[in-house]
Amino acid sequence: MSSLRSHDDTWDIATSVGSTAVMVAAARAGETGRENPLIRDPYAAILVAGAGTGFWETLLDQDVAAKIAEVDEDAAKIFEHMGSYQAVRTHFFDEYFAEAAKAGIRQIVILASGLDSRAYRLEWPAGSTVYEIDQPKVLEYKAETLAAHGAQPSAQRREVPIDLRQDWPKALRDAGFDDGQPTAWLAEGLLMYLPADAQDRLFELVTELSAPGSRIAAETAGVSAGERREEMRERFERFAAQFNMEQALNIQDLIYEDPDRADVAEWLGAHGWRAGGVHSLDEMRRLGRYVEIEHDDTRAFSTFVTAEKL
Protein backbone atom coordinates (compact mmCIF):
# COMPACT_ATOMS: atom_id res chain seq x y z
CA MET A 1 0.00 0.00 0.00
CA SER A 2 1.11 3.53 -0.67
CA SER A 3 2.76 5.39 2.20
CA LEU A 4 1.49 8.79 1.10
CA ARG A 5 -2.14 8.03 0.31
CA SER A 6 -5.31 8.12 2.37
CA HIS A 7 -8.96 7.45 1.60
CA ASP A 8 -9.78 11.19 1.49
CA ASP A 9 -6.60 12.75 0.10
CA THR A 10 -6.85 15.44 -2.56
CA TRP A 11 -4.42 17.30 -4.81
CA ASP A 12 -3.82 20.03 -7.33
CA ILE A 13 -1.56 19.86 -10.38
CA ALA A 14 1.67 20.34 -8.41
CA THR A 15 1.10 17.88 -5.57
CA SER A 16 0.63 14.15 -4.95
CA VAL A 17 -1.06 12.24 -7.79
CA GLY A 18 -1.63 15.53 -9.61
CA SER A 19 2.09 15.94 -10.19
CA THR A 20 2.19 12.60 -12.02
CA ALA A 21 0.03 14.20 -14.73
CA VAL A 22 2.84 16.73 -15.20
CA MET A 23 5.36 13.91 -15.43
CA VAL A 24 3.36 12.21 -18.18
CA ALA A 25 2.89 15.49 -20.06
CA ALA A 26 6.65 16.07 -19.84
CA ALA A 27 7.18 12.66 -21.44
CA ARG A 28 4.76 13.58 -24.24
CA ALA A 29 6.59 16.85 -24.75
CA GLY A 30 9.89 15.01 -24.96
CA GLU A 31 8.49 12.56 -27.50
CA THR A 32 7.02 15.38 -29.57
CA GLY A 33 10.49 16.92 -29.81
CA ARG A 34 12.08 13.76 -31.24
CA GLU A 35 13.01 13.53 -34.90
CA ASN A 36 10.47 10.78 -35.64
CA PRO A 37 7.95 10.89 -32.81
CA LEU A 38 5.33 8.22 -32.25
CA ILE A 39 2.88 10.90 -31.11
CA ARG A 40 2.62 14.66 -31.36
CA ASP A 41 1.27 16.73 -28.51
CA PRO A 42 1.78 20.46 -29.13
CA TYR A 43 0.16 21.30 -25.80
CA ALA A 44 2.28 19.13 -23.49
CA ALA A 45 5.19 21.54 -23.05
CA ILE A 46 2.80 24.43 -22.40
CA LEU A 47 1.06 22.48 -19.64
CA VAL A 48 4.31 21.37 -18.03
CA ALA A 49 5.96 24.80 -18.14
CA GLY A 50 3.24 26.47 -16.10
CA ALA A 51 2.64 23.70 -13.56
CA GLY A 52 5.12 24.87 -10.95
CA THR A 53 6.29 21.40 -9.92
CA GLY A 54 9.98 22.30 -10.22
CA PHE A 55 11.24 18.84 -11.06
CA TRP A 56 9.24 17.77 -14.09
CA GLU A 57 9.91 21.04 -15.90
CA THR A 58 13.57 20.00 -16.13
CA LEU A 59 12.51 17.15 -18.40
CA LEU A 60 11.68 19.69 -21.11
CA ASP A 61 15.45 19.96 -21.66
CA GLN A 62 16.17 17.82 -24.71
CA ASP A 63 19.67 17.12 -23.37
CA VAL A 64 18.53 15.83 -20.01
CA ALA A 65 19.07 12.17 -20.96
CA ALA A 66 22.69 12.85 -21.91
CA LYS A 67 23.24 14.71 -18.64
CA ILE A 68 21.82 11.80 -16.67
CA ALA A 69 24.05 9.35 -18.58
CA GLU A 70 27.13 11.29 -17.53
CA VAL A 71 26.26 10.55 -13.90
CA ASP A 72 24.49 7.18 -14.03
CA GLU A 73 24.29 5.13 -17.25
CA ASP A 74 21.80 2.67 -15.78
CA ALA A 75 19.56 5.53 -14.67
CA ALA A 76 19.78 6.99 -18.17
CA LYS A 77 18.57 3.69 -19.63
CA ILE A 78 15.67 3.61 -17.19
CA PHE A 79 14.87 7.22 -18.11
CA GLU A 80 14.92 6.37 -21.83
CA HIS A 81 12.85 3.23 -21.26
CA MET A 82 10.16 5.08 -19.32
CA GLY A 83 10.02 7.88 -21.88
CA SER A 84 9.54 5.33 -24.63
CA TYR A 85 6.95 3.53 -22.54
CA GLN A 86 4.90 6.73 -22.20
CA ALA A 87 5.12 7.35 -25.94
CA VAL A 88 4.04 3.80 -26.77
CA ARG A 89 1.21 3.94 -24.25
CA THR A 90 -0.07 7.23 -25.66
CA HIS A 91 0.18 5.88 -29.21
CA PHE A 92 -1.76 2.74 -28.28
CA PHE A 93 -4.66 4.61 -26.72
CA ASP A 94 -4.71 7.21 -29.49
CA GLU A 95 -5.24 4.34 -31.92
CA TYR A 96 -7.92 2.90 -29.65
CA PHE A 97 -9.88 6.15 -29.86
CA ALA A 98 -9.41 6.30 -33.64
CA GLU A 99 -10.88 2.81 -33.98
CA ALA A 100 -13.78 3.68 -31.67
CA ALA A 101 -14.54 6.74 -33.79
CA LYS A 102 -14.49 4.62 -36.96
CA ALA A 103 -17.01 2.32 -35.29
CA GLY A 104 -19.34 5.29 -34.85
CA ILE A 105 -18.84 6.00 -31.15
CA ARG A 106 -19.25 9.69 -30.42
CA GLN A 107 -19.32 9.70 -26.62
CA ILE A 108 -15.93 9.55 -24.90
CA VAL A 109 -15.10 9.47 -21.19
CA ILE A 110 -11.55 9.90 -19.92
CA LEU A 111 -11.30 8.80 -16.29
CA ALA A 112 -8.78 10.77 -14.20
CA SER A 113 -7.91 12.78 -17.31
CA GLY A 114 -5.11 14.83 -15.75
CA LEU A 115 -3.31 16.83 -18.44
CA ASP A 116 -4.58 14.59 -21.25
CA SER A 117 -4.98 16.83 -24.31
CA ARG A 118 -6.76 14.39 -26.62
CA ALA A 119 -9.87 16.60 -26.67
CA TYR A 120 -7.65 19.20 -28.34
CA ARG A 121 -5.08 17.31 -30.40
CA LEU A 122 -6.96 14.35 -31.89
CA GLU A 123 -9.19 14.65 -34.96
CA TRP A 124 -12.66 13.86 -33.67
CA PRO A 125 -15.63 13.28 -36.00
CA ALA A 126 -18.42 15.83 -35.94
CA GLY A 127 -20.77 15.29 -33.02
CA SER A 128 -18.13 13.88 -30.68
CA THR A 129 -18.22 14.80 -26.99
CA VAL A 130 -15.27 14.20 -24.69
CA TYR A 131 -16.02 14.07 -20.96
CA GLU A 132 -13.01 14.60 -18.71
CA ILE A 133 -13.27 13.48 -15.09
CA ASP A 134 -10.70 14.63 -12.57
CA GLN A 135 -10.04 16.71 -9.48
CA PRO A 136 -11.46 20.25 -9.88
CA LYS A 137 -8.11 22.02 -9.53
CA VAL A 138 -6.49 19.80 -12.16
CA LEU A 139 -9.20 20.47 -14.75
CA GLU A 140 -9.20 24.16 -13.91
CA TYR A 141 -5.45 24.45 -14.47
CA LYS A 142 -5.59 22.67 -17.81
CA ALA A 143 -8.52 24.64 -19.19
CA GLU A 144 -7.16 28.02 -18.10
CA THR A 145 -3.63 27.31 -19.35
CA LEU A 146 -4.71 26.11 -22.79
CA ALA A 147 -7.26 28.93 -23.17
CA ALA A 148 -4.52 31.46 -22.37
CA HIS A 149 -2.57 30.06 -25.34
CA GLY A 150 -5.57 30.17 -27.67
CA ALA A 151 -6.11 26.42 -27.80
CA GLN A 152 -9.55 25.20 -28.81
CA PRO A 153 -10.82 21.62 -28.41
CA SER A 154 -11.51 19.66 -31.59
CA ALA A 155 -14.58 18.03 -30.01
CA GLN A 156 -17.15 19.25 -27.57
CA ARG A 157 -15.31 19.05 -24.25
CA ARG A 158 -17.18 18.76 -20.98
CA GLU A 159 -15.48 18.87 -17.62
CA VAL A 160 -16.66 16.66 -14.76
CA PRO A 161 -14.80 18.06 -11.75
CA ILE A 162 -15.12 15.34 -9.16
CA ASP A 163 -13.03 12.78 -7.29
CA LEU A 164 -13.60 9.24 -8.58
CA ARG A 165 -14.17 8.15 -4.98
CA GLN A 166 -17.32 10.28 -4.95
CA ASP A 167 -20.57 9.92 -6.92
CA TRP A 168 -18.99 10.54 -10.29
CA PRO A 169 -21.68 8.70 -12.31
CA LYS A 170 -24.25 11.29 -11.16
CA ALA A 171 -21.86 14.14 -11.94
CA LEU A 172 -21.20 12.60 -15.36
CA ARG A 173 -24.91 12.35 -16.14
CA ASP A 174 -25.43 15.90 -14.90
CA ALA A 175 -22.81 17.01 -17.43
CA GLY A 176 -24.89 15.50 -20.24
CA PHE A 177 -23.68 11.92 -20.45
CA ASP A 178 -26.21 9.53 -22.02
CA ASP A 179 -25.88 5.94 -20.80
CA GLY A 180 -28.12 4.83 -23.67
CA GLN A 181 -25.39 5.63 -26.19
CA PRO A 182 -22.23 3.56 -26.75
CA THR A 183 -19.23 5.08 -25.00
CA ALA A 184 -15.48 4.81 -25.42
CA TRP A 185 -13.92 4.81 -21.94
CA LEU A 186 -10.27 5.25 -21.03
CA ALA A 187 -8.51 4.41 -17.75
CA GLU A 188 -4.91 5.37 -18.51
CA GLY A 189 -2.42 6.00 -15.72
CA LEU A 190 -5.14 5.43 -13.14
CA LEU A 191 -5.44 1.89 -11.77
CA MET A 192 -2.09 1.88 -9.97
CA TYR A 193 -3.35 4.76 -7.83
CA LEU A 194 -6.40 2.76 -6.73
CA PRO A 195 -6.56 -0.05 -4.17
CA ALA A 196 -7.88 -3.35 -5.49
CA ASP A 197 -11.43 -2.92 -4.22
CA ALA A 198 -11.68 0.57 -5.72
CA GLN A 199 -10.53 -0.81 -9.08
CA ASP A 200 -13.33 -3.38 -9.00
CA ARG A 201 -15.88 -0.73 -8.04
CA LEU A 202 -14.71 1.55 -10.84
CA PHE A 203 -15.29 -1.15 -13.45
CA GLU A 204 -18.64 -2.07 -11.91
CA LEU A 205 -19.81 1.51 -12.36
CA VAL A 206 -18.41 1.73 -15.90
CA THR A 207 -20.22 -1.49 -16.77
CA GLU A 208 -23.51 -0.14 -15.38
CA LEU A 209 -23.13 3.02 -17.48
CA SER A 210 -22.14 1.26 -20.72
CA ALA A 211 -24.62 0.54 -23.47
CA PRO A 212 -23.98 -2.46 -25.74
CA GLY A 213 -21.24 -1.66 -28.22
CA SER A 214 -19.37 0.49 -25.70
CA ARG A 215 -15.63 0.08 -25.48
CA ILE A 216 -13.07 0.46 -22.74
CA ALA A 217 -9.30 0.65 -22.72
CA ALA A 218 -7.21 0.42 -19.57
CA GLU A 219 -3.60 0.34 -18.48
CA THR A 220 -3.24 -2.31 -15.81
CA ALA A 221 -1.24 -1.84 -12.63
CA GLY A 222 2.09 -3.66 -12.64
CA VAL A 223 3.30 -5.53 -9.58
CA SER A 224 6.94 -5.23 -8.48
CA ALA A 225 8.71 -7.51 -6.03
CA GLY A 226 9.53 -5.90 -2.69
CA GLU A 227 13.27 -5.97 -3.27
CA ARG A 228 12.80 -4.36 -6.69
CA ARG A 229 10.72 -1.53 -5.19
CA GLU A 230 13.38 -0.90 -2.57
CA GLU A 231 16.12 -0.92 -5.19
CA MET A 232 14.22 1.62 -7.28
CA ARG A 233 13.62 3.78 -4.21
CA GLU A 234 17.34 3.88 -3.41
CA ARG A 235 18.20 4.67 -7.01
CA PHE A 236 15.64 7.47 -7.08
CA GLU A 237 17.06 8.99 -3.91
CA ARG A 238 20.62 8.93 -5.30
CA PHE A 239 19.44 10.34 -8.60
CA ALA A 240 17.41 13.11 -6.94
CA ALA A 241 20.34 14.14 -4.78
CA GLN A 242 22.74 14.28 -7.73
CA PHE A 243 20.40 16.53 -9.74
CA ASN A 244 19.09 18.66 -6.86
CA MET A 245 15.65 17.16 -7.25
CA GLU A 246 15.02 16.15 -3.63
CA GLN A 247 11.64 17.92 -3.74
CA ALA A 248 10.36 15.56 -6.40
CA LEU A 249 7.94 12.84 -5.32
CA ASN A 250 8.94 9.23 -5.67
CA ILE A 251 6.01 7.92 -7.71
CA GLN A 252 6.18 4.57 -5.93
CA ASP A 253 5.06 6.33 -2.75
CA LEU A 254 1.74 7.12 -4.44
CA ILE A 255 0.99 3.65 -5.80
CA TYR A 256 -1.11 0.99 -4.14
CA GLU A 257 0.81 -2.29 -4.28
CA ASP A 258 -2.05 -4.81 -4.21
CA PRO A 259 -0.70 -8.08 -5.62
CA ASP A 260 -4.13 -9.71 -5.38
CA ARG A 261 -5.97 -7.12 -7.46
CA ALA A 262 -8.16 -8.56 -10.21
CA ASP A 263 -6.80 -9.22 -13.67
CA VAL A 264 -8.55 -6.52 -15.71
CA ALA A 265 -9.17 -8.56 -18.86
CA GLU A 266 -10.48 -11.50 -16.83
CA TRP A 267 -12.73 -9.26 -14.73
CA LEU A 268 -14.21 -7.59 -17.81
CA GLY A 269 -14.64 -10.93 -19.55
CA ALA A 270 -16.67 -12.18 -16.59
CA HIS A 271 -18.90 -9.09 -16.55
CA GLY A 272 -20.29 -8.83 -20.05
CA TRP A 273 -17.30 -7.60 -22.05
CA ARG A 274 -15.22 -9.24 -24.77
CA ALA A 275 -11.69 -8.39 -23.64
CA GLY A 276 -8.09 -8.87 -24.67
CA GLY A 277 -4.74 -7.33 -23.93
CA VAL A 278 -1.28 -6.52 -25.24
CA HIS A 279 1.65 -6.46 -22.85
CA SER A 280 3.32 -3.07 -22.91
CA LEU A 281 6.81 -4.51 -23.43
CA ASP A 282 5.57 -6.43 -26.49
CA GLU A 283 4.05 -3.24 -27.87
CA MET A 284 7.33 -1.40 -27.27
CA ARG A 285 9.18 -4.09 -29.19
CA ARG A 286 6.65 -3.98 -32.03
CA LEU A 287 7.14 -0.25 -32.41
CA GLY A 288 10.93 -0.44 -32.13
CA ARG A 289 11.04 1.47 -28.85
CA TYR A 290 12.10 -1.22 -26.40
CA VAL A 291 15.11 -0.41 -24.23
CA GLU A 292 16.64 -3.30 -22.30
CA ILE A 293 17.18 -2.46 -18.66
CA GLU A 294 18.54 -4.36 -15.68
CA HIS A 295 15.99 -6.48 -13.80
CA ASP A 296 13.38 -6.19 -16.54
CA ASP A 297 10.47 -7.93 -14.77
CA THR A 298 7.45 -8.27 -17.05
CA ARG A 299 5.14 -8.31 -14.02
CA ALA A 300 6.22 -4.78 -13.14
CA PHE A 301 4.99 -3.42 -16.46
CA SER A 302 1.40 -3.00 -17.51
CA THR A 303 -0.82 -4.66 -20.05
CA PHE A 304 -2.94 -2.51 -22.35
CA VAL A 305 -6.42 -3.99 -22.15
CA THR A 306 -9.25 -3.25 -24.58
CA ALA A 307 -12.78 -4.58 -24.43
CA GLU A 308 -16.20 -4.23 -26.05
CA LYS A 309 -19.52 -4.45 -24.21
CA LEU A 310 -21.66 -7.32 -25.49
Side-chain angles (χ1 to χ4, degrees):
M1 178 174 289
S2 165
S3 61
L4 294 181
R5 303 296 310 285
S6 65
H7 75 280
D8 58 354
D9 56 341
T10 187
W11 51 84
D12 59 19
I13 200 61
T15 59
S16 188
V17 178
S19 70
T20 68
V22 185
M23 174 193 70
V24 175
R28 293 199 305 270
E31 180 66 21
T32 299
R34 291 173 64 107
E35 185 174 346
N36 294 301
L38 281 177
I39 58 100
R40 288 182 171 84
D41 186 345
Y43 307 106
I46 294 170
L47 291 166
V48 174
T53 58
F55 170 52
W56 301 123
E57 284 90 330
T58 65
L59 300 185
L60 298 179
D61 180 358
Q62 291 294 315
D63 296 324
V64 67
K67 294 175 181 177
I68 294 172
E70 292 176 359
V71 176
D72 187 334
E73 289 188 3
D74 288 337
K77 287 183 179 180
I78 293 172
F79 177 82
E80 182 184 357
H81 183 98
M82 296 312 298
S84 290
Y85 170 84
Q86 296 291 347
V88 168
R89 181 181 80 169
T90 301
H91 179 272
F92 183 91
F93 292 127
D94 282 359
E95 290 296 305
Y96 156 75
F97 277 129
E99 290 300 317
K102 288 180 182 178
I105 296 177
R106 298 293 180 265
Q107 186 166 250
I108 295 89
V109 179
I110 302 177
L111 301 161
S113 59
L115 297 184
D116 187 302
S117 63
R118 289 185 175 95
Y120 295 83
R121 66 179 179 81
L122 296 186
E123 296 182 4
W124 297 101
S128 297
T129 301
V130 178
Y131 294 90
E132 297 187 0
I133 305 177
D134 211 318
Q135 296 267 353
K137 291 181 180 179
V138 174
L139 292 176
E140 179 183 2
Y141 168 76
K142 177 166 59 177
E144 290 183 353
T145 301
L146 293 182
H149 287 79
Q152 295 293 325
S154 53
Q156 186 174 32
R157 176 178 175 268
R158 295 185 180 176
E159 295 184 354
V160 186
I162 191 169
D163 192 303
L164 285 170
R165 292 166 294 190
Q166 299 170 354
D167 190 1
W168 63 266
K170 180 181 183 302
L172 183 60
R173 288 190 177 102
D174 289 346
F177 176 84
D178 180 1
D179 59 15
Q181 293 185 27
T183 304
W185 303 85
L186 177 62
E188 176 188 30
L190 167 59
L191 301 185
M192 65 283 292
Y193 303 115
L194 299 178
D197 57 347
Q199 173 180 301
D200 290 349
R201 182 57 179 158
L202 178 75
F203 287 126
E204 287 171 1
L205 293 171
V206 167
T207 299
E208 291 173 8
L209 291 167
S210 295
S214 293
R215 301 185 181 193
I216 187 168
E219 174 194 21
T220 67
V223 178
S224 298
E227 60 271 19
R228 173 60 170 163
R229 292 197 301 273
E230 185 57 32
E231 178 187 339
M232 292 301 293
R233 182 186 301 279
E234 292 175 359
R235 180 181 291 277
F236 176 87
E237 290 174 353
R238 292 196 304 271
F239 177 84
Q242 289 168 329
F243 284 86
N244 297 317
M245 297 174 179
E246 289 89 343
Q247 79 279 14
L249 282 170
N250 185 339
I251 301 304
Q252 292 196 43
D253 288 333
L254 303 175
I255 293 172
Y256 285 93
E257 289 284 352
D258 282 347
D260 296 326
R261 72 170 68 235
D263 179 282
V264 174
E266 291 180 1
W267 191 99
L268 291 170
H271 290 80
W273 300 78
R274 181 172 57 246
V278 176
H279 196 279
S280 58
L281 296 184
D282 291 335
E283 187 70 356
M284 292 177 75
R285 293 185 181 96
R286 186 182 74 83
L287 294 173
R289 297 299 294 274
Y290 177 76
V291 180
E292 188 160 356
I293 58 176
E294 187 179 1
H295 304 305
D296 192 355
D297 183 356
T298 58
R299 297 171 302 170
F301 289 88
S302 67
T303 295
F304 303 145
V305 173
T306 57
E308 182 175 359
K309 183 74 177 297
L310 300 175

